[in-house]
Amino acid sequence: MQGFADFADGILGGALLAALAVALGGVVFAWLVLAPGSDAAARALRARCAGLVALSAAALALCQLAALDLKVRLLAGYLGPDALTRFLATPAARAGIARAALSAALAVAALALRRDPDAPVRRAVVWLLAALVAVSGAWLVHAAGRLEHRDMLMVVTVLHQVAASVWAGGLVHLGAAWRLGRRDPAVGALWPHTVARFSRVALASVAALCVLALPLASAYVGSIAGLVGTGYGALVLTKIALLAAALVLAAGNFGAVRRYRHSGSAAGVRERVPIRVEGETILTMVLLFTAASLSSQPPARDITHERASIGEVVEVFRPKIPALRTPSVRAVLDDDSDPYAVAGGERTAVAYSWSNFSHNVSGLALLAMSAVALVGIASGWRWTRHWPLGIAVLGVFVLLRSLAVDGIRPFGPNPFWATTLGSAEDMQHRLAGLLAIALGLLEWRARQSDGHDTRLPYVFPALALAGGLLLLVHSHAAFEAKSSYLVQVTHTAMGLLAVLVACTRLLELRLAPAAGRVAGAASCVAMLLVALVLVFYREANVVVPLP
Ligand code: HEM
């Protein structure tokens, strides 16, 4: 239960922030972006926007209730039968219930607005409820539990959340406007104007969220040592990297809008902007999942004893000779220590060697695949298209190693489901193995089809994205030991890189061939960096004697 709860909490937190963004972002999008006017096309856009707000507000209410339910179940494990009563007495529980109720009310009000998108009273009710939903979040963040600058941090976090929602949620609404415009030429005619208005709103919201991030980072991280040496800091760095990647796409869109404003030419806005908006949307949604993961970890400032030094983190990524010898399955099964135990004192040399070999060999295989894929882009040689088969073989390797280490049949006496559902680590490693097998086979098939199969090529970016997200929300103990952090930081880096592999591959598929090739090469380079993290992986920097 604990394992599943940790895993579900990460996913649920991200889904909750994504739903919040689409709901709040939609309200602002309708107000500041959608062209005013009483013609049918403008009304259709506003109605579509209200519909999406209703849907996301309903999803937010459900996610919030599920998150509360999960908390009560977890607390029941510690507090017994009166967990619910004691939980309901906390400000966080009351704020959670209030947010669920307000979101449900917002869903109903937005549905009413959808039927008549220009009714001023309905619009005002939607505005009021959206503002209350945003404010209720103040008691659900770290700030509410701080002793110093509590009120200021609550306000700043909510404003940062709202600015993030206006950008990330607005992108979802922009994408919806594009899709509606493809079916309805009158709506399509409004597209360049809509993009131009959104670009101003997006610019202002990104500037605001960056400015607001400064006091948050200063209050919760406080120093470079905290940024590099804790799980919280690593996630803040991940957010900065994702933000930079999203801004690269945003800059392209901004340039297209400027050309449209100055020359009236809408070619770029119509051809490339929708594709880049798709990539930007994915990156901002991943940012929201990362933010949720961040807010479930103790702030870096509170981790004083178990911080890793900058030198120790550099050591994690520094080039090292990979371990190419593994302990036998027998030796692992005879080893009493928990194979996924917090890296540190209770880990034996056998457990370390087993883990290092698994990671290093996977890295070497991925390195070879990335090199072949890069050669393929440079040369166009057909045989290089078979490289994805290597991912499937790697998936089998990961799955078998994860079954062996737990002594699951046929390697030992244990049944599959008992261990898989009992530990978040076990479940994530099994899912990663299965995901890799599916990913490899489908991508291999897609690359053989020479573009005739129009859907299959999208499975690879979708699954790579899912894998990246899984790594970014990878659950960890509340106050994790330094040795665990030294492992986590590699997984966080790989999660970030997997997301970049996915987004650049998507761009490769969607953009015109010349730009697509550049995106394809970027995708292979990101894959190569994942490979290098794995090749140089040495668990928690512990040097173990060769088996
Ligand atoms: C300059 C880069 C950024 C930094 C340094 C940063 C930093 C932070 C920090 C320190 C928090 C407080 C989390 C807590 O309560 O412990 C936070 C919250 C949050 N951030 Fe950012 N952030 C950045 C960019 C972004 C971006 C680009 C987005 C989304 C598009 C975003 C979305 C959020 C959200 C939604 C929260 C609230 C999380 C929650 O309450 O569950 N942030 N951020």
Side-chain angles (χ1 to χ4, degrees):
M1 170 66 195
Q2 178 70 47
F4 178 73
D6 287 345
F7 178 64
D9 194 41
I11 301 288
L12 208 53
L16 194 147
L17 286 181
L20 179 74
V22 181
L24 298 186
V27 173
V28 175
F29 190 85
W31 174 43
L32 293 178
V33 177
L34 291 184
S38 53
D39 58 294
R43 263 179 76 87
L45 270 178
R46 285 197 290 276
R48 159 63 67 103
C49 186
L52 256 182
V53 170
L55 203 65
S56 51
L60 175 59
L62 290 177
C63 285
Q64 190 62 65
L65 288 176
L68 289 169
D69 178 58
L70 200 62
K71 286 235 157 45
V72 173
R73 283 169 196 269
L74 279 177
L75 283 175
Y78 300 99
L79 302 177
D82 60 343
L84 179 62
T85 324
R86 289 169 70 180
F87 179 57
L88 288 179
T90 63
R94 289 184 189 149
I97 294 168
R99 182 147 84 174
L102 287 165
S103 309
L106 176 60
V108 175
L111 264 188
L113 183 64
R114 180 171 174 257
R115 283 194 291 277
D116 184 0
D118 295 321
V121 176
R122 292 182 191 197
R123 217 169 28 214
V125 172
V126 163
W127 259 99
L128 178 70
L129 287 168
L132 290 174
V133 166
V135 171
S136 65
W139 286 268
L140 295 165
V141 293
H142 269 136
R146 304 305 282 180
L147 296 175
E148 285 178 354
H149 313 301
R150 178 177 175 270
D151 296 346
M152 184 274 283
L153 286 173
M154 283 167 78
V155 172
V156 172
T157 313
V158 167
L159 291 177
H160 179 73
Q161 236 178 33
V162 170
S165 300
V166 172
W167 182 30
L171 282 164
V172 172
H173 287 272
L174 192 64
W178 166 251
R179 277 187 294 281
L180 189 61
R182 288 207 318 187
R183 288 202 308 271
D184 180 342
V187 172
L190 297 176
W191 173 251
H193 188 61
T194 309
V195 174
R197 285 175 73 97
F198 179 71
S199 98
R200 287 207 178 105
V201 174
L203 194 67
S205 55
V206 170
L209 81 82
C210 287
V211 169
L212 292 160
L214 293 177
L216 291 177
S218 152
Y220 294 133
V221 181
S223 64
I224 299 289
L227 196 61
V228 178
T230 63
Y232 191 95
L235 287 173
V236 170
L237 282 177
T238 304
K239 281 178 79 178
I240 295 173
L242 285 166
L243 174 64
L247 288 182
V248 169
L249 296 179
N253 289 343
F254 196 68
V257 166
R258 276 182 64 147
R259 280 191 293 282
Y260 166 66
R261 281 209 187 102
H262 289 146
S263 67
S265 155
V269 171
R270 287 194 182 281
E271 284 155 23
R272 286 182 292 278
V273 167
I275 297 168
R276 286 192 292 244
V277 163
E278 225 168 58
E280 211 181 321
T281 308
I282 292 173
L283 288 170
T284 51
M285 288 296 140
V286 175
L287 261 159
L288 295 176
F289 275 80
T290 312
S293 208
L294 179 71
S295 66
S296 70
Q297 299 220 0
R301 243 186 216 283
D302 299 349
I303 311 273
T304 45
H305 295 311
E306 288 295 335
R307 245 183 215 188
S309 69
I310 295 177
E312 283 169 322
V313 176
V314 170
E315 174 65 20
V316 167
F317 294 104
R318 152 186 99 71
K320 301 177 250 337
I321 297 185
L324 295 178
R325 285 167 66 188
T326 174
S328 64
V329 173
R330 184 76 275 151
V332 170
L333 293 182
D334 288 345
D335 183 25
D336 294 338
S337 67
D338 175 356
Y340 298 128
V342 174
E346 70 263 48
R347 299 277 284 165
T348 59
V350 168
Y352 279 120
S353 302
W354 177 272
S355 159
N356 290 346
F357 177 85
S358 301
H359 286 86
N360 296 165
V361 168
S362 304
L364 287 171
L366 196 58
L367 194 63
M369 285 178 245
S370 318
V372 172
L374 272 170
V375 169
I377 288 182
S379 64
W381 290 335
R382 280 193 72 84
W383 65 268
T384 57
R385 297 184 189 186
H386 293 298
W387 70 261
L389 280 180
I391 298 187
V393 175
L394 200 57
V396 174
F397 173 74
V398 170
L399 194 62
L400 290 179
R401 299 273 297 177
S402 117
L403 296 180
V405 83
D406 284 326
I408 288 172
R409 286 191 280 266
F411 298 100
N414 297 328
F416 179 83
W417 290 110
T419 54
T420 304
L421 290 181
S423 144
E425 294 279 1
D426 288 356
M427 179 151 68
Q428 285 166 14
H429 283 97
R430 305 262 146 89
L431 278 178
L434 290 171
L435 206 64
I437 296 173
L439 188 89
L441 291 177
L442 293 172
E443 180 62 4
W444 175 73
R445 187 87 191 81
R447 292 201 184 233
Q448 306 310 307
S449 80
D450 275 330
H452 295 308
D453 196 323
T454 50
R455 297 225 174 124
L456 208 51
Y458 291 96
V459 175
F460 176 80
L463 290 184
L465 186 67
L469 263 187
L470 209 65
L471 285 169
L472 286 176
V473 301
H474 199 271
S475 56
H476 299 278
F479 281 89
E480 70 183 350
K482 177 169 77 177
S483 43
S484 289
Y485 167 63
L486 292 174
V487 174
Q488 184 210 332
V489 72
T490 58
H491 288 63
T492 305
M494 288 190 286
L496 168 67
L497 289 166
V499 168
L500 296 181
V501 169
C503 283
T504 41
R505 171 68 179 144
L506 188 70
L507 289 174
E508 179 187 7
L509 291 169
R510 311 276 271 131
L511 288 169
R517 242 197 321 277
V518 175
S523 178
C524 295
V525 170
M527 199 159 79
L528 193 131
L529 292 175
V530 176
L532 290 179
V533 173
L534 287 166
V535 170
F536 302 138
Y537 181 91
R538 187 198 282 151
E539 189 175 312
N541 290 343
V542 176
V543 180
V544 284
L546 288 176

